[in-house]
């Protein structure tokens, strides 16, 4: 296989010279942060591109999650998935709330709505599902439960930039959605993130919370943090937007190669996309089942030996990491599907600059054990 290491992802970067004029503007006006002109432009441009009402930019997705939970004024318990990146649950704990892990659906790998109700107690105030790998959750079923019990919904949509269902952006669902613009994401601003909200009042609340709670020189609305995106990151985001459609198209091509070549390989199960969804091809997870000659970890090591660094997103389950393991008896008993999936999953490299030839070589290597 080709010699340079192949990682699970690689950020797509626009031509460097195209970034210089943006930097020149920043140097001219000397506004580096605190909601400057680039920040304003990127919020507007993203709201239009994504087809959502309001975008509040952040310096990373985790601070956006922390602030979104604050903005919803929650107490007690938040029902969430154990099958996610650790930031999902950490943000709940950092708000003084208790995450209650509920099982996933074995097909979508997202929170299983039919299991959520049994996790609800008198302390539950919200549900925080994750659109894992950019695959839409069962938003209608989750909304129904939230309405029945008077719960808020915060979607961790870190993987879901640009994903659409038949009605438009999936970010329009729930009370709030949070995006990540980290280097490893479909749309990156080096570090960055955003909260998507539906009305002006909430946007004002979030903007204050991310700027220390400042209303004016004499007034603080609440104990806010510093979650602001800098002008350099925002400028980079504006430039990235020129390339996002081309990047998505290239991801789609890789996805098609993997799907075509790995479909039907004994013991390799592909994770399907939600029906009727316009995907962003952010990850390419496969599940290694019993009929495959190697275990998931053996395949992971063999590929590593070839210089292909796949990742076991998401293993271990969040609920199995030590800060969480001891805390929730409910979670320990009720995560059967998540436990099965976490032992089988492997995410293959997918990013715009991944060569089609390399993707084919990866599939040939996997098929070589058949
Ligand atoms: N919610 C969910 C569901 C999330 O997945 C995440 C983040 C968040 C919330 C929080 O959003 P942020 O606060 O991060 O905005 C990575 C990312 O650091 C993390 O952002 C992401 N999820 C998670 C799924 O993946 P690691 O520890 O796997 O990253 P790392 O450094 O091992 O990177 C993976 C590969 O990417 C490397 O092997 C090489 C390549 N890479 C990475 C970076 C950082 C590059 O080529 N260039 C780079 O600059 O967590």
């Amino acid at each position: 296989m080709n010699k340079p290491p192949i990682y699970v992802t690689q950020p797509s970067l626009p031509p460097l010279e195209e970034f210089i004029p943006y930097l020149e503007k920043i140097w001219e006006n000397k506004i580096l942060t605190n909601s400057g002109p680039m920040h304003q432009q990127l919020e507007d441009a993203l709201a239009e591109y994504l087809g959502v009402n309001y975008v509040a930019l952040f310096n990373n997705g985790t601070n956006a999650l922390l602030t979104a939970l604050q903005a919803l004024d929650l107490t007690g318990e938040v029902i969430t998935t154990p099958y996610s990146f650790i930031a999902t649950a950490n943000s709940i704990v950092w708000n003084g709330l208790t995450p209650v892990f509920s099982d996933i659906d074995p097909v979508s790998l997202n929170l299983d709505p039919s299991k959520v109700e049994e996790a609800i107690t008198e302390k539950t105030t919200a549900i925080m599902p994750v659109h894992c790998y950019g695959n839409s959750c069962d938003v209608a079923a989750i909304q129904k439960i939230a309405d029945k019990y008077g719960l808020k919904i915060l979607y961790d949509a870190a993987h879901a930039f640009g994903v659409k269902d038949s009605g438009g952006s999936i970010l329009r669902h729930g009370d709030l959605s949070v995006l990540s613009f980290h280097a490893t994401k479909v749309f990156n601003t080096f570090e960055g993130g955003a909260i998507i909200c539906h009305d002006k009042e909430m946007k004002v609340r979030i903007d204050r919370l991310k700027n220390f709670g400042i209303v004016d020189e004499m007034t603080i609305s609440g104990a806010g943090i510093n979650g602001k995106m800098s002008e350099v990151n925002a400028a980079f985001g504006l430039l990235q937007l020129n390339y996002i459609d081309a990047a998505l198209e290239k991801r789609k091509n890789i996805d098609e190669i993997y799907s075509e070549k790995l479909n039907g390989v004994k013991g390799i199960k592909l994770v399907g996309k939600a029906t009727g969804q316009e995907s962003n091809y952010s990850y390419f997870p496969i599940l290694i089942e019993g009929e495959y000659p190697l275990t998931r970890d053996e395949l992971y090591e063999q590929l590593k030996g070839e210089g292909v660094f796949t990742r076991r997103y998401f293993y271990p389950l969040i609920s199995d990491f030590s800060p969480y393991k001891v805390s929730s008896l409910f979670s320990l008993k009720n995560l059967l599907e998540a436990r099965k999936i976490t032992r089988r999953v492997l995410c293959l490299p997918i990013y715009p600059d991944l060569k089609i030839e390399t993707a084919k070589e990866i599939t040939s290597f996997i098929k070589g054990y058949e």
Side-chain angles (χ1 to χ4, degrees), residues 7-50:
Y7 296 109
V8 68
T9 190
Q10 186 183 76
S12 47
L13 293 167
L16 181 57
E17 62 276 14
E18 290 187 21
F19 194 37
I20 305 300
Y22 290 84
L23 293 176
E24 283 170 351
K25 270 195 200 142
I26 295 172
W27 257 245
E28 257 163 47
N29 68 25
K30 300 190 169 44
I31 303 293
L32 309 189
T33 185
N34 288 9
S35 302
M38 299 288 182
H39 183 280
Q40 192 55 53
Q41 274 181 56
L42 184 60
E43 286 195 342
D44 294 345
L46 281 174
E48 195 185 324
Y49 180 83
L50 295 168

Short mmCIF file of all heavy atoms in Angstrom, two decimals, residues 7-50:
data_model
loop_
_atom_site.label_atom_id
_atom_site.label_comp_id
_atom_site.label_asym_id
_atom_site.label_seq_id
_atom_site.Cartn_x
_atom_site.Cartn_y
_atom_site.Cartn_z
N TYR A 7 -4.63 8.72 7.48
CA TYR A 7 -5.39 8.86 8.72
C TYR A 7 -6.89 8.80 8.44
O TYR A 7 -7.31 8.93 7.30
CB TYR A 7 -5.01 10.16 9.43
CG TYR A 7 -3.56 10.17 9.86
CD1 TYR A 7 -2.63 10.99 9.22
CD2 TYR A 7 -3.12 9.31 10.86
CE1 TYR A 7 -1.29 10.97 9.59
CE2 TYR A 7 -1.78 9.28 11.24
CZ TYR A 7 -0.88 10.11 10.60
OH TYR A 7 0.44 10.07 10.95
N VAL A 8 -7.65 8.65 9.49
CA VAL A 8 -9.10 8.54 9.35
C VAL A 8 -9.68 9.78 8.67
O VAL A 8 -10.66 9.72 7.95
CB VAL A 8 -9.77 8.26 10.71
CG1 VAL A 8 -9.66 9.48 11.65
CG2 VAL A 8 -11.20 7.82 10.56
N THR A 9 -9.01 10.89 8.89
CA THR A 9 -9.43 12.11 8.21
C THR A 9 -8.25 13.04 8.01
O THR A 9 -7.17 12.84 8.58
CB THR A 9 -10.56 12.83 8.98
OG1 THR A 9 -11.08 13.87 8.17
CG2 THR A 9 -10.08 13.41 10.30
N GLN A 10 -8.45 14.03 7.17
CA GLN A 10 -7.44 15.07 6.93
C GLN A 10 -8.22 16.32 6.60
O GLN A 10 -9.15 16.26 5.78
CB GLN A 10 -6.59 14.65 5.73
CG GLN A 10 -5.42 15.55 5.47
CD GLN A 10 -4.68 15.09 4.22
OE1 GLN A 10 -5.13 15.32 3.10
NE2 GLN A 10 -3.57 14.42 4.40
N PRO A 11 -7.88 17.44 7.24
CA PRO A 11 -8.66 18.64 6.96
C PRO A 11 -8.49 19.09 5.51
O PRO A 11 -7.40 18.97 4.96
CB PRO A 11 -8.09 19.69 7.91
CG PRO A 11 -6.84 19.12 8.47
CD PRO A 11 -6.79 17.66 8.19
N SER A 12 -9.56 19.61 4.94
CA SER A 12 -9.39 20.19 3.60
C SER A 12 -9.06 21.67 3.79
O SER A 12 -9.67 22.37 4.59
CB SER A 12 -10.65 20.01 2.75
OG SER A 12 -11.78 20.38 3.47
N LEU A 13 -8.06 22.11 3.06
CA LEU A 13 -7.57 23.48 3.18
C LEU A 13 -7.65 24.18 1.83
O LEU A 13 -7.24 23.61 0.82
CB LEU A 13 -6.11 23.48 3.66
CG LEU A 13 -5.88 22.97 5.09
CD1 LEU A 13 -4.39 22.72 5.34
CD2 LEU A 13 -6.40 23.98 6.10
N PRO A 14 -8.14 25.42 1.81
CA PRO A 14 -8.18 26.17 0.54
C PRO A 14 -6.76 26.63 0.18
O PRO A 14 -5.87 26.58 1.04
CB PRO A 14 -9.08 27.36 0.87
CG PRO A 14 -8.96 27.53 2.35
CD PRO A 14 -8.66 26.19 2.93
N PRO A 15 -6.54 27.11 -1.05
CA PRO A 15 -5.22 27.63 -1.41
C PRO A 15 -4.80 28.74 -0.44
O PRO A 15 -5.59 29.67 -0.20
CB PRO A 15 -5.41 28.17 -2.83
CG PRO A 15 -6.63 27.48 -3.35
CD PRO A 15 -7.49 27.20 -2.17
N LEU A 16 -3.58 28.64 0.07
CA LEU A 16 -3.11 29.57 1.10
C LEU A 16 -3.21 31.03 0.64
O LEU A 16 -3.61 31.91 1.40
CB LEU A 16 -1.67 29.21 1.48
CG LEU A 16 -1.01 30.05 2.56
CD1 LEU A 16 -1.81 30.02 3.86
CD2 LEU A 16 0.41 29.57 2.82
N GLU A 17 -2.84 31.25 -0.64
CA GLU A 17 -2.81 32.65 -1.12
C GLU A 17 -4.21 33.30 -1.07
O GLU A 17 -4.32 34.50 -0.92
CB GLU A 17 -2.19 32.76 -2.52
CG GLU A 17 -2.90 32.04 -3.64
CD GLU A 17 -2.52 30.56 -3.77
OE1 GLU A 17 -1.90 30.02 -2.83
OE2 GLU A 17 -2.89 29.94 -4.78
N GLU A 18 -5.24 32.48 -1.12
CA GLU A 18 -6.60 33.05 -1.07
C GLU A 18 -6.97 33.52 0.34
O GLU A 18 -7.94 34.25 0.51
CB GLU A 18 -7.63 32.01 -1.54
CG GLU A 18 -7.53 31.74 -3.03
CD GLU A 18 -8.64 30.85 -3.54
OE1 GLU A 18 -9.70 30.74 -2.88
OE2 GLU A 18 -8.43 30.24 -4.61
N PHE A 19 -6.20 33.08 1.32
CA PHE A 19 -6.50 33.49 2.70
C PHE A 19 -5.87 34.86 3.02
O PHE A 19 -6.33 35.56 3.91
CB PHE A 19 -5.98 32.42 3.67
CG PHE A 19 -6.52 32.55 5.08
CD1 PHE A 19 -7.83 32.96 5.33
CD2 PHE A 19 -5.70 32.28 6.16
CE1 PHE A 19 -8.32 33.08 6.62
CE2 PHE A 19 -6.18 32.39 7.47
CZ PHE A 19 -7.49 32.80 7.69
N ILE A 20 -4.83 35.21 2.27
CA ILE A 20 -4.08 36.44 2.59
C ILE A 20 -4.96 37.70 2.56
O ILE A 20 -4.91 38.51 3.49
CB ILE A 20 -2.84 36.60 1.64
CG1 ILE A 20 -1.96 35.35 1.68
CG2 ILE A 20 -2.03 37.86 1.98
CD1 ILE A 20 -1.38 34.99 3.03
N PRO A 21 -5.80 37.89 1.54
CA PRO A 21 -6.63 39.11 1.54
C PRO A 21 -7.53 39.23 2.77
O PRO A 21 -7.79 40.34 3.25
CB PRO A 21 -7.50 38.96 0.27
CG PRO A 21 -6.76 38.00 -0.60
CD PRO A 21 -6.00 37.10 0.31
N TYR A 22 -7.99 38.08 3.29
CA TYR A 22 -8.81 38.11 4.51
C TYR A 22 -7.97 38.62 5.68
O TYR A 22 -8.41 39.43 6.48
CB TYR A 22 -9.33 36.71 4.84
CG TYR A 22 -10.38 36.18 3.89
CD1 TYR A 22 -10.01 35.57 2.70
CD2 TYR A 22 -11.73 36.28 4.19
CE1 TYR A 22 -10.96 35.06 1.82
CE2 TYR A 22 -12.70 35.77 3.33
CZ TYR A 22 -12.31 35.16 2.15
OH TYR A 22 -13.26 34.66 1.30
N LEU A 23 -6.73 38.11 5.73
CA LEU A 23 -5.85 38.53 6.83
C LEU A 23 -5.52 40.02 6.71
O LEU A 23 -5.47 40.74 7.71
CB LEU A 23 -4.56 37.70 6.82
CG LEU A 23 -4.74 36.21 7.15
CD1 LEU A 23 -3.41 35.47 7.02
CD2 LEU A 23 -5.31 36.02 8.55
N GLU A 24 -5.33 40.47 5.47
CA GLU A 24 -5.02 41.89 5.27
C GLU A 24 -6.14 42.77 5.82
O GLU A 24 -5.88 43.80 6.46
CB GLU A 24 -4.78 42.17 3.78
CG GLU A 24 -3.41 41.70 3.33
CD GLU A 24 -3.20 41.72 1.82
OE1 GLU A 24 -4.18 41.94 1.06
OE2 GLU A 24 -2.05 41.50 1.40
N LYS A 25 -7.38 42.35 5.61
CA LYS A 25 -8.52 43.12 6.12
C LYS A 25 -8.48 43.19 7.64
O LYS A 25 -8.73 44.23 8.24
CB LYS A 25 -9.84 42.48 5.68
CG LYS A 25 -10.33 43.00 4.37
CD LYS A 25 -11.79 42.63 4.16
CE LYS A 25 -12.09 42.72 2.68
NZ LYS A 25 -12.97 41.70 2.18
N ILE A 26 -8.16 42.06 8.26
CA ILE A 26 -8.11 42.02 9.73
C ILE A 26 -6.99 42.93 10.23
O ILE A 26 -7.15 43.69 11.19
CB ILE A 26 -7.92 40.57 10.23
CG1 ILE A 26 -9.15 39.74 9.86
CG2 ILE A 26 -7.69 40.54 11.75
CD1 ILE A 26 -9.01 38.24 10.12
N TRP A 27 -5.85 42.87 9.51
CA TRP A 27 -4.71 43.71 9.91
C TRP A 27 -5.06 45.20 9.78
O TRP A 27 -4.65 46.01 10.59
CB TRP A 27 -3.49 43.38 9.03
CG TRP A 27 -2.45 42.54 9.73
CD1 TRP A 27 -1.18 42.92 10.05
CD2 TRP A 27 -2.59 41.18 10.20
NE1 TRP A 27 -0.54 41.88 10.69
CE2 TRP A 27 -1.37 40.81 10.79
CE3 TRP A 27 -3.62 40.25 10.18
CZ2 TRP A 27 -1.15 39.56 11.36
CZ3 TRP A 27 -3.41 39.00 10.74
CH2 TRP A 27 -2.20 38.67 11.31
N GLU A 28 -5.84 45.51 8.75
CA GLU A 28 -6.24 46.91 8.52
C GLU A 28 -7.15 47.43 9.64
O GLU A 28 -6.92 48.47 10.20
CB GLU A 28 -7.07 47.01 7.23
CG GLU A 28 -6.36 47.54 6.02
CD GLU A 28 -7.16 47.19 4.77
OE1 GLU A 28 -8.40 47.40 4.77
OE2 GLU A 28 -6.55 46.66 3.82
N ASN A 29 -8.19 46.65 9.95
CA ASN A 29 -9.19 47.22 10.88
C ASN A 29 -8.90 46.91 12.34
O ASN A 29 -9.51 47.47 13.24
CB ASN A 29 -10.63 46.85 10.46
CG ASN A 29 -10.91 45.37 10.61
OD1 ASN A 29 -10.27 44.69 11.42
ND2 ASN A 29 -11.85 44.86 9.85
N LYS A 30 -7.96 45.99 12.58
CA LYS A 30 -7.50 45.70 13.94
C LYS A 30 -8.59 45.21 14.89
O LYS A 30 -8.47 45.31 16.10
CB LYS A 30 -6.76 46.90 14.55
CG LYS A 30 -5.54 47.27 13.73
CD LYS A 30 -4.64 48.26 14.37
CE LYS A 30 -3.33 48.39 13.62
NZ LYS A 30 -3.44 48.46 12.14
N ILE A 31 -9.64 44.68 14.32
CA ILE A 31 -10.64 43.99 15.16
C ILE A 31 -10.31 42.50 15.07
O ILE A 31 -10.42 41.89 14.00
CB ILE A 31 -12.08 44.24 14.65
CG1 ILE A 31 -12.40 45.73 14.60
CG2 ILE A 31 -13.10 43.49 15.52
CD1 ILE A 31 -12.47 46.42 15.95
N LEU A 32 -9.89 41.93 16.17
CA LEU A 32 -9.42 40.54 16.17
C LEU A 32 -10.47 39.57 16.70
O LEU A 32 -10.46 38.39 16.38
CB LEU A 32 -8.15 40.40 17.02
CG LEU A 32 -7.01 41.38 16.72
CD1 LEU A 32 -5.76 40.97 17.50
CD2 LEU A 32 -6.70 41.46 15.23
N THR A 33 -11.36 40.07 17.53
CA THR A 33 -12.37 39.19 18.11
C THR A 33 -13.54 40.03 18.66
O THR A 33 -13.66 41.20 18.30
CB THR A 33 -11.74 38.27 19.20
OG1 THR A 33 -12.73 37.34 19.66
CG2 THR A 33 -11.19 39.07 20.37
N ASN A 34 -14.38 39.41 19.50
CA ASN A 34 -15.58 40.07 20.07
C ASN A 34 -16.59 40.49 19.00
O ASN A 34 -16.94 41.66 18.88
CB ASN A 34 -15.20 41.28 20.95
CG ASN A 34 -14.56 40.84 22.25
OD1 ASN A 34 -14.26 39.66 22.43
ND2 ASN A 34 -14.34 41.76 23.16
N SER A 35 -17.01 39.49 18.21
CA SER A 35 -18.06 39.69 17.20
C SER A 35 -17.74 40.79 16.21
O SER A 35 -18.53 41.73 16.03
CB SER A 35 -19.41 39.97 17.89
OG SER A 35 -19.73 38.89 18.72
N GLY A 36 -16.59 40.66 15.57
CA GLY A 36 -16.19 41.64 14.54
C GLY A 36 -16.90 41.38 13.22
O GLY A 36 -17.80 40.55 13.14
N PRO A 37 -16.44 42.09 12.16
CA PRO A 37 -17.13 41.98 10.87
C PRO A 37 -17.08 40.59 10.24
O PRO A 37 -18.07 40.16 9.63
CB PRO A 37 -16.41 43.01 9.99
CG PRO A 37 -15.21 43.44 10.74
CD PRO A 37 -15.42 43.15 12.18
N MET A 38 -15.96 39.88 10.36
CA MET A 38 -15.87 38.53 9.75
C MET A 38 -16.84 37.58 10.45
O MET A 38 -17.49 36.74 9.82
CB MET A 38 -14.44 37.96 9.92
CG MET A 38 -13.38 38.78 9.25
SD MET A 38 -13.47 38.60 7.46
CE MET A 38 -12.08 39.61 6.97
N HIS A 39 -16.91 37.73 11.77
CA HIS A 39 -17.79 36.91 12.60
C HIS A 39 -19.24 37.11 12.15
O HIS A 39 -19.98 36.15 11.93
CB HIS A 39 -17.57 37.35 14.05
CG HIS A 39 -18.35 36.60 15.08
ND1 HIS A 39 -19.67 36.85 15.33
CD2 HIS A 39 -17.98 35.61 15.92
CE1 HIS A 39 -20.09 36.05 16.29
NE2 HIS A 39 -19.08 35.28 16.67
N GLN A 40 -19.60 38.38 11.97
CA GLN A 40 -20.96 38.71 11.55
C GLN A 40 -21.27 38.12 10.18
O GLN A 40 -22.32 37.50 9.96
CB GLN A 40 -21.11 40.24 11.52
CG GLN A 40 -22.54 40.70 11.38
CD GLN A 40 -23.45 40.10 12.46
OE1 GLN A 40 -23.14 40.21 13.65
NE2 GLN A 40 -24.51 39.42 12.05
N GLN A 41 -20.29 38.30 9.27
CA GLN A 41 -20.50 37.78 7.90
C GLN A 41 -20.64 36.27 7.90
O GLN A 41 -21.46 35.73 7.17
CB GLN A 41 -19.28 38.13 7.04
CG GLN A 41 -19.31 39.49 6.41
CD GLN A 41 -18.04 39.68 5.56
OE1 GLN A 41 -17.75 38.91 4.67
NE2 GLN A 41 -17.28 40.70 5.89
N LEU A 42 -19.83 35.59 8.70
CA LEU A 42 -19.89 34.12 8.69
C LEU A 42 -21.20 33.63 9.29
O LEU A 42 -21.80 32.67 8.78
CB LEU A 42 -18.68 33.51 9.43
CG LEU A 42 -18.63 31.98 9.37
CD1 LEU A 42 -18.55 31.45 7.94
CD2 LEU A 42 -17.45 31.42 10.18
N GLU A 43 -21.68 34.28 10.33
CA GLU A 43 -22.99 33.88 10.89
C GLU A 43 -24.08 33.98 9.82
O GLU A 43 -24.89 33.07 9.65
CB GLU A 43 -23.35 34.73 12.12
CG GLU A 43 -22.54 34.35 13.35
CD GLU A 43 -23.10 34.90 14.66
OE1 GLU A 43 -23.92 35.84 14.61
OE2 GLU A 43 -22.70 34.38 15.72
N ASP A 44 -24.06 35.10 9.09
CA ASP A 44 -25.10 35.30 8.06
C ASP A 44 -24.93 34.28 6.93
O ASP A 44 -25.91 33.69 6.47
CB ASP A 44 -25.02 36.73 7.48
CG ASP A 44 -25.37 37.77 8.55
OD1 ASP A 44 -25.92 37.39 9.59
OD2 ASP A 44 -25.07 38.96 8.33
N ALA A 45 -23.68 34.10 6.50
CA ALA A 45 -23.43 33.19 5.36
C ALA A 45 -23.80 31.75 5.73
O ALA A 45 -24.36 31.03 4.91
CB ALA A 45 -21.96 33.27 4.95
N LEU A 46 -23.50 31.36 6.95
CA LEU A 46 -23.81 29.98 7.36
C LEU A 46 -25.32 29.78 7.50
O LEU A 46 -25.84 28.73 7.13
CB LEU A 46 -23.11 29.64 8.68
CG LEU A 46 -21.63 29.27 8.56
CD1 LEU A 46 -21.01 29.09 9.95
CD2 LEU A 46 -21.45 27.99 7.74
N ALA A 47 -26.00 30.79 8.06
CA ALA A 47 -27.46 30.66 8.20
C ALA A 47 -28.08 30.46 6.82
O ALA A 47 -28.96 29.62 6.63
CB ALA A 47 -28.04 31.90 8.88
N GLU A 48 -27.55 31.18 5.84
CA GLU A 48 -28.10 31.04 4.49
C GLU A 48 -27.72 29.68 3.90
O GLU A 48 -28.57 28.97 3.36
CB GLU A 48 -27.58 32.18 3.61
CG GLU A 48 -28.39 32.26 2.36
CD GLU A 48 -27.86 33.30 1.38
OE1 GLU A 48 -27.38 34.35 1.83
OE2 GLU A 48 -27.94 33.01 0.17
N TYR A 49 -26.45 29.32 4.01
CA TYR A 49 -26.01 28.04 3.41
C TYR A 49 -26.75 26.85 4.02
O TYR A 49 -27.18 25.94 3.32
CB TYR A 49 -24.48 27.87 3.60
CG TYR A 49 -24.00 26.57 3.00
CD1 TYR A 49 -23.71 26.48 1.63
CD2 TYR A 49 -23.87 25.42 3.79
CE1 TYR A 49 -23.32 25.27 1.07
CE2 TYR A 49 -23.49 24.21 3.22
CZ TYR A 49 -23.20 24.15 1.87
OH TYR A 49 -22.82 22.96 1.31
N LEU A 50 -26.88 26.89 5.34
CA LEU A 50 -27.49 25.74 6.02
C LEU A 50 -29.02 25.78 5.95
O LEU A 50 -29.67 24.76 6.17
CB LEU A 50 -27.05 25.71 7.50
CG LEU A 50 -25.55 25.46 7.73
CD1 LEU A 50 -25.18 25.74 9.19
CD2 LEU A 50 -25.17 24.03 7.35
#
